[in-house]
Amino acid sequence: MIDHVTLRVSDFEASKRFYAATLEPLGYGVLYEFPGALGMGRDDKPDFWIGAGDYRTAGMHLAFAAADRSTVDAFHRAAMGAGGKDNGAPGVRAEYHPNYYGAFVFDPDGNNIEAVCHVPEK
């Protein structure tokens, strides 16, 4: 159900060292790194991310796995109907990978909630 989670960290380099060492015994390794962002996981699936930023104001990012793109669309409609604020309409995010189809909303507390599908459109 959970696809990935991102924590905001105030000292990116210190947190990078901490999580790399702490999660290594669990089989996690650094899979992706971009300026200010690091994706960790095992079996080539980054499901734990850290991102530079003030955790007190940036909120958490939590992504739920969706079986298909129509489910991502339904998630976005439901969130908007429930009072969420749009943070990215459903669509392909090719900068992540060619089949990354996601939608982003802010919950009432400002957390960035996402639904994502990783499979190609049928």
Side-chain angles (χ1 to χ4, degrees):
M1 180 92 175
I2 303 295
D3 187 78
H4 62 274
V5 63
T6 303
L7 299 179
R8 297 287 167 217
V9 296
S10 59
D11 185 332
F12 181 76
E13 291 301 321
S15 293
K16 176 180 163 180
R17 288 188 301 274
F18 172 81
Y19 283 110
T22 301
L23 298 181
E24 189 272 333
L26 301 176
Y28 272 62
V30 174
L31 300 176
Y32 294 96
E33 185 168 0
F34 305 100
L38 179 80
M40 300 184 70
R42 42 184 163 181
D43 302 324
D44 296 323
K45 170 67 172 89
D47 55 15
F48 177 73
W49 290 79
I50 60 170
D54 187 343
Y55 67 91
R56 295 167 295 175
T57 58
M60 175 189 277
H61 172 68
L62 180 60
F64 293 94
D68 53 43
R69 293 177 180 200
S70 64
T71 302
V72 173
D73 297 343
F75 157 86
H76 190 262
R77 284 191 306 274
M80 295 296 89
K85 293 183 180 160
D86 183 46
N87 189 31
V92 173
R93 279 20 185 221
E95 64 272 24
Y96 302 142
H97 67 72
N99 294 314
Y100 195 109
Y101 188 87
F104 303 82
V105 298
F106 288 121
D107 75 2
D109 289 311
N111 294 300
N112 184 19
I113 309 302
E114 174 188 6
V116 60
C117 174
H118 295 282
V119 297
E121 186 172 26
K122 294 179 182 178

